[in-house]
Amino acid sequence: MQKLFRRLTDTQYLTQAHINGFDNYKYSAIDTSPLSQYVMHPFWNWLVKFFPRWFAPNLMTFLGFLFGAMNLVLLSYYDWNFEASSGEEGSTPIPSWVWLCTAVNIFLAYTLDGIDGKQARRIGLSGPLGELFDHGLDSYTAMLIPTCLYSIFGRSRVYSVRPMRMYYVCLTVYFNFFVSHWEKYNTGILYLPWGYDLSMWGSTAMYLVTWWMGFERWKFELPLGSYGTLPLGNVMEAVLHVSAMANLPLVIINVYNSYAHRTGRMLSFWEAIRPMWPFLTFFVILLVWPYVSPNDIMEKDPRALFMLSGTIFSNVSCRLIVSQMSVTRCEAWHWQTPMFAMSFLVSLWLPLLERPLLYMLLIVTTLSHWQYGASVVNQMCEHFNRVCFTVHKRVPQEEMLSKGKTLLAEEIGQPEKQQHEELLKKKD
């Protein structure tokens, strides 16, 4: 089993250019969120001191992600089709303890994500491996947050929105995450969006309210005078859209300024937008599919589509993150594009196969994404002589120095050996 795992994670996705870029990488980010600056960072600076120095930062990152993923597992089990909180006849409500669990989990995920970098700097282990691991898992979290929040309101016909409209919210969140890293790809600086802190605090509060008062507490409409009423589910939809897209004007301004002041990479227009092509390709396929679905797949199985879209966009984002951190040219084509396009077209031709094809894509995309992530992290660990979830080196420092001296001696002695061989050849 261990040999199989090693073989699966031994794929060399990173080129030598990537490795060289990571060797020269320096972290550059700007966080202007008042909530983050004046509330969370002081709290995280205080909290991280209670963690022992042997607690690996990457372990914090991974545990934080698992807490968020646990929410998806719980809510998928109790509310696969987003009907449990709809209030409609025949629906079974989600147990109240689940909402308390989700509130605790999302806050723990947020906290661990906030202190992992501080722990790394505290024990002298900060570097490109930790940042790549952190942002890679964050790209997956972009799907977890809106998908889990939808279970609070459900697909109520009166007080919430239909799955297709929540799907738009998910796509908006993916775009916001992707465009933030596209911004760094061009400017060299990661400008952290305000929406993340607000979404984590808002999610925690909403889960706690749902646990304390029940999902029925959200089933009301806001009076708008002569304009009628507005269901609270629609308010949530608008808030998520605005919080996700509010970052876009700043992205445009920051990229423009990097060209105007010549502080960025100064790429040509086509090179600058090169990372957008795989994102836009999947965006179009996954947006058109539910629209023209012969079986109305979005109404029948929305969660599968949410998870599929989140997974493939996470993979596309991870590949962009690798390129922007290593300052290398980003891919303009994703190898799974033909598979998605063919599945979409076959589902139109043979409607009976639409749902099996959807689940086939979900399984293949998920497994290939996990394999990609594990292989990249393994390759990074091997290069930087790290064990991902501990603070130890793969090879002891003394042994590394000994190997380095041996290789250096071999390199120095190589020219002399070649000269000696040439003299022997001349004598012969």
Side-chain angles (χ1 to χ4, degrees):
M1 190 68 180
Q2 192 173 4
K3 288 182 179 179
L4 177 62
F5 180 76
R6 284 180 180 175
R7 189 172 297 177
L8 288 172
T9 59
D10 201 33
T11 309
Q12 303 291 298
Y13 286 107
L14 301 179
T15 65
Q16 190 58 47
H18 289 133
I19 296 296
N20 294 340
F22 282 121
D23 282 337
N24 299 314
Y25 178 75
K26 290 183 180 180
Y27 180 67
S28 180
I30 296 176
D31 186 0
T32 59
S33 165
L35 178 58
S36 179
Q37 288 288 332
Y38 301 112
V39 179
M40 297 315 300
H41 279 298
F43 170 65
W44 292 332
N45 288 333
W46 169 80
L47 183 64
V48 74
K49 296 174 184 176
F50 293 94
F51 283 83
R53 300 180 71 85
W54 52 260
F55 204 111
N58 287 339
L59 183 58
M60 289 180 171
T61 306
F62 192 59
L63 287 175
F65 170 75
L66 289 181
F67 279 119
M70 194 185 301
N71 283 354
L72 182 71
V73 172
L74 278 172
L75 293 171
S76 295
Y77 178 78
Y78 286 103
D79 186 27
W80 180 263
N81 283 320
F82 302 107
E83 294 174 338
S85 299
S86 64
E88 296 182 1
E89 189 177 350
S91 60
T92 303
I94 298 169
S96 60
W97 65 266
V98 172
W99 297 118
L100 179 59
C101 253
T102 54
V104 173
N105 286 344
I106 198 71
F107 185 76
L108 288 174
Y110 178 41
T111 301
L112 288 168
D113 188 45
I115 65 175
D116 53 2
K118 297 181 184 298
Q119 175 75 344
R121 288 185 287 275
R122 177 174 169 241
I123 62 177
L125 283 181
S126 59
L129 171 61
E131 184 180 344
L132 179 64
F133 191 65
D134 187 1
H135 292 319
L137 291 177
D138 285 345
S139 69
Y140 225 163
T141 305
M143 177 266 293
L144 302 179
I145 296 173
T147 302
C148 291
L149 281 176
Y150 191 37
S151 284
I152 292 178
F153 296 89
R155 52 164 83 188
S156 169
R157 297 184 184 277
V158 178
Y159 300 105
S160 185
V161 296
R162 302 307 296 169
M164 190 67 191
R165 287 173 60 178
M166 193 63 199
Y167 187 55
Y168 296 153
V169 171
C170 291
L171 295 177
T172 304
V173 173
Y174 306 154
F175 177 75
N176 175 58
F177 182 90
F178 185 86
V179 82
S180 294
H181 287 276
W182 172 80
E183 175 186 26
K184 187 182 179 183
Y185 180 80
N186 286 282
T187 65
I189 301 172
L190 180 63
Y191 296 88
L192 299 172
W194 291 18
Y196 174 69
D197 296 292
L198 295 172
S199 66
M200 299 304 271
W201 269 99
S203 298
T204 303
M206 290 174 71
Y207 290 138
L208 285 173
V209 169
T210 308
W211 164 66
W212 186 255
M213 301 182 176
F215 73 89
E216 297 87 356
R217 186 67 183 86
W218 304 101
K219 305 296 182 187
F220 69 89
E221 297 175 292
L222 297 175
L224 298 178
S226 60
Y227 294 99
T229 58
L230 183 66
L232 206 58
N234 296 63
V235 175
M236 181 201 70
E237 175 193 27
V239 168
L240 288 173
H241 273 302
V242 170
S243 63
M245 294 303 292
N247 191 48
L248 185 58
L250 294 175
V251 169
I252 296 171
I253 291 170
N254 290 331
V255 172
Y256 172 79
N257 286 336
S258 74
Y259 279 89
H261 302 144
R262 305 188 70 81
T263 57
R265 294 180 64 188
M266 303 303 295
L267 300 173
S268 67
F269 174 78
W270 293 112
E271 284 298 316
I273 67 168
R274 182 181 172 87
M276 289 289 183
W277 296 121
F279 181 90
L280 291 174
T281 303
F282 286 115
F283 189 91
V284 170
I285 293 172
L286 290 168
L287 189 62
V288 173
W289 189 343
Y291 255 117
V292 299
S293 167
N295 299 303
D296 198 6
I297 195 68
M298 182 58 76
E299 284 293 322
K300 289 187 177 178
D301 210 336
R303 189 176 291 271
L305 268 170
F306 287 10
M307 292 169 65
L308 174 62
S309 62
T311 304
I312 192 61
F313 283 125
S314 175
N315 190 260
V316 172
S317 297
C318 285
R319 292 169 188 269
L320 169 62
I321 293 167
V322 166
S323 294
Q324 55 100 334
M325 288 182 64
S326 59
V327 196
T328 53
R329 197 182 193 207
C330 190
E331 300 171 359
W333 176 260
H334 194 283
W335 69 272
Q336 282 186 268
T337 306
M339 186 170 64
F340 271 69
M342 284 301 297
S343 298
F344 168 50
L345 294 174
V346 170
S347 69
L348 296 179
W349 180 43
L350 297 171
L352 188 65
L353 296 179
E354 183 174 29
R355 204 165 186 180
L357 284 170
L358 174 63
Y359 275 88
M360 181 273 292
L361 279 178
L362 177 58
I363 293 168
V364 171
T365 302
T366 301
L367 293 179
S368 63
H369 182 43
W370 291 356
Q371 192 270 340
Y372 172 81
S375 296
V376 168
V377 169
N378 184 54
Q379 197 174 348
M380 291 278 284
C381 286
E382 187 174 341
H383 177 72
F384 289 106
N385 190 31
R386 291 277 304 279
V387 180
C388 186
F389 295 126
T390 75
V391 297
H392 304 298
K393 302 284 186 181
R394 281 196 171 193
V395 181
Q397 196 69 28
E398 296 79 9
E399 191 174 334
M400 287 290 291
L401 290 171
S402 176
K403 284 184 178 180
K405 289 177 181 177
T406 303
L407 289 171
L408 184 61
E410 288 177 356
E411 289 176 3
I412 293 171
Q414 193 67 24
E416 295 178 1
K417 185 179 178 182
Q418 289 175 353
Q419 289 176 6
H420 181 67
E421 288 176 352
E422 288 174 3
L423 285 172
L424 288 175
K425 285 179 181 178
K426 287 179 180 179
K427 288 180 180 179
D428 293 341

